[in-house]
Amino acid sequence: MADSIATGSSFELDQATPRYAAIESLMASAIENGRLPAGTVLTEEPIARLFGTSRTPVRTALGDLLERGLLARFDGRGFVVRGTEGTAPARTPLTREMFGLPEDEPIHPMPVTSERIARDFETKLIHALPFGQFRVNEQGVADHYDVSRTVVRELLSRLQDRGLVQKNRQSHWIIGPLTAREVAHYFAVRGKLEPLALAESAPLLPPREVKAMWQRHEAALAQGPNLEADALEELETDIHIRLLARSRNPHLLRMVHQSQLALVVNRVFASFVGAQPFQVALREHAIILEFIMRGAYPMAAQALEEHLRLSADRTRQRLMAISVFPQPDLPSYLKWREP
């Protein structure tokens, strides 16, 4: 696959092959051929710059290579090419030659269209979730954003990995409904998996990162009910994604990621009523971070488990509250389906 992608005078990222898959293939080939030696540190930004792409497909490619065992985590930022035990990480400047990319001609930049529309597209889908089941029309999405269906399929595939959309028996993309029962099921899984991931990840987190998270939470609590929905989402990301990300078990992290769909209820609810109802949750977040700063990792995991237990009931109530709001105006590519 790598040879077919890299042949010619330039590296094309707008083919039918998803960008992350093309990048992953070239990186795997570079590792296997020794152009990326064991111990080489890989981070998103320089790789994205070499490939003329955004960091999102690079992040996906790195995650897949980690799962395949070609990369490993280490105590620094990024990933390291897996080698024998004791191989020291080396921050070697990355070059096109290492990845088998042409040296003499520019890479055709990735159209930024998919990344430009990704956030808006996801937001539209999330706001539909509590109001029933909808079919997502691929061509309608493509027409709405003036992009190709290939771009739409890639975005939908990424959202499918997170459990936000699914395909039915007719191979139609379906979203919703997110019911109270489903929320309870998601939280039952999260209550077991997230504390486990935290216990593995927290000891590996740089203290300055944890302190920065704690400071963000303290500033948010001091700000009170004036907190914006986007700021609230950032704080949720601190606790439920960043604190867990250093776990060295990629299968655990994938299952955690797929069980976090219920987080979107908070995002929708905050868009309707603001951040004031989340002050209690933010105080629970701060307690978790305080335990981590003290090195009390088992206590932090217990605090996270208790936070999720309390959040399950709060989220169920928020989902019920959302149902009394009028359905927001939804784009034409979302077609309501009979239950």
Side-chain angles (χ1 to χ4, degrees):
M1 180 179 175
D3 291 339
S4 65
I5 295 170
T7 53
S9 62
S10 61
F11 179 80
E12 297 286 351
L13 284 174
D14 56 350
Q15 304 176 17
T17 303
R19 283 178 289 277
Y20 74 86
I23 294 170
E24 177 187 348
S25 180
L26 282 178
M27 291 176 66
S29 176
I31 292 169
E32 291 162 355
N33 294 336
R35 293 194 303 271
L36 286 173
T40 302
V41 173
L42 301 176
T43 54
E44 294 171 12
E45 181 60 34
I47 297 173
R49 191 160 48 279
L50 287 173
F51 279 90
T53 183
S54 72
R55 292 167 60 171
T56 299
V58 175
R59 184 179 307 127
T60 302
L62 289 169
D64 289 347
L65 292 169
L66 175 69
E67 194 165 326
R68 289 170 58 180
L70 295 177
L71 300 182
R73 293 189 181 276
F74 71 115
D75 289 338
R77 185 169 63 89
F79 300 86
V80 64
V81 176
R82 188 179 291 276
T84 58
E85 187 173 352
T87 301
R91 294 192 177 274
T92 306
L94 301 178
T95 66
R96 294 179 177 220
E97 183 180 4
M98 289 178 170
F99 294 95
L101 297 171
E103 291 287 338
D104 54 344
E105 292 192 21
I107 297 170
H108 288 191
M110 179 199 76
V112 298
T113 306
S114 63
E115 303 311 318
R116 172 180 59 81
I117 73 171
R119 177 69 174 181
D120 184 72
F121 181 45
E122 179 182 325
T123 299
K124 294 291 195 302
L125 296 184
I126 284 173
H127 278 78
L129 261 180
F131 295 97
Q133 186 177 85
F134 297 84
R135 176 182 170 186
V136 185
N137 182 277
E138 272 188 17
Q139 188 59 54
V141 179
D143 293 342
H144 181 86
Y145 290 107
D146 193 23
V147 297
S148 71
R149 290 182 69 172
T150 300
V151 169
V152 176
R153 290 192 192 105
E154 181 180 338
L155 290 173
L156 286 167
S157 295
R158 282 157 49 181
L159 296 174
Q160 184 181 33
D161 289 341
R162 292 173 48 198
L164 185 57
V165 298
Q166 57 184 325
K167 278 194 170 183
N168 64 8
R169 294 177 181 176
Q170 291 78 39
S171 292
H172 296 152
W173 292 104
I174 301 296
I175 181 170
L178 184 60
T179 64
R181 176 177 292 183
E182 280 196 308
V183 166
H185 290 165
Y186 280 122
F187 270 100
V189 174
R190 292 178 64 199
K192 299 300 180 184
L193 296 185
E194 289 192 30
L196 179 60
L198 178 68
E200 293 184 358
S201 177
L204 304 177
L205 288 163
R208 65 181 182 279
E209 288 187 17
V210 180
K211 185 175 181 180
M213 293 181 199
W214 179 80
Q215 289 172 336
R216 282 197 289 271
H217 278 76
E218 288 296 299
L221 286 167
Q223 190 172 341
N226 298 319
L227 197 65
E228 297 291 334
D230 286 347
L232 176 65
E233 185 180 356
E234 184 73 9
L235 299 174
E236 293 270 26
T237 299
D238 276 345
I239 300 301
H240 300 293
I241 296 177
R242 295 189 183 103
L243 279 185
L244 315 181
R246 295 289 180 123
S247 168
R248 290 171 174 168
N249 186 334
H251 306 291
L252 173 60
L253 289 178
R254 185 174 64 253
M255 288 187 287
V256 166
H257 196 52
Q258 291 171 344
S259 70
Q260 290 180 330
L261 181 59
L263 280 172
V264 304
V265 176
N266 293 342
R267 185 164 155 189
V268 176
F269 189 71
S271 72
F272 280 116
V273 303
Q276 184 172 1
F278 296 90
Q279 295 297 299
V280 172
L282 294 182
R283 284 195 289 271
E284 293 166 5
H285 286 187
I287 291 171
I288 295 166
L289 292 166
E290 286 167 6
F291 278 131
I292 294 175
M293 287 191 295
R294 284 190 274 166
Y297 305 120
M299 295 298 294
Q302 290 179 25
L304 176 57
E305 185 173 0
E306 177 65 7
H307 166 65
L308 289 168
R309 186 186 68 79
L310 296 170
S311 293
D313 187 58
R314 290 193 293 254
T315 303
R316 179 183 59 80
Q317 294 179 34
R318 287 167 189 158
L319 188 61
M320 293 173 60
I322 290 171
S323 66
V324 307
F325 288 94
Q327 178 179 300
D329 292 332
L330 298 175
S332 59
Y333 56 74
L334 291 177
K335 303 295 184 182
W336 186 78
R337 289 167 51 90
E338 290 283 350

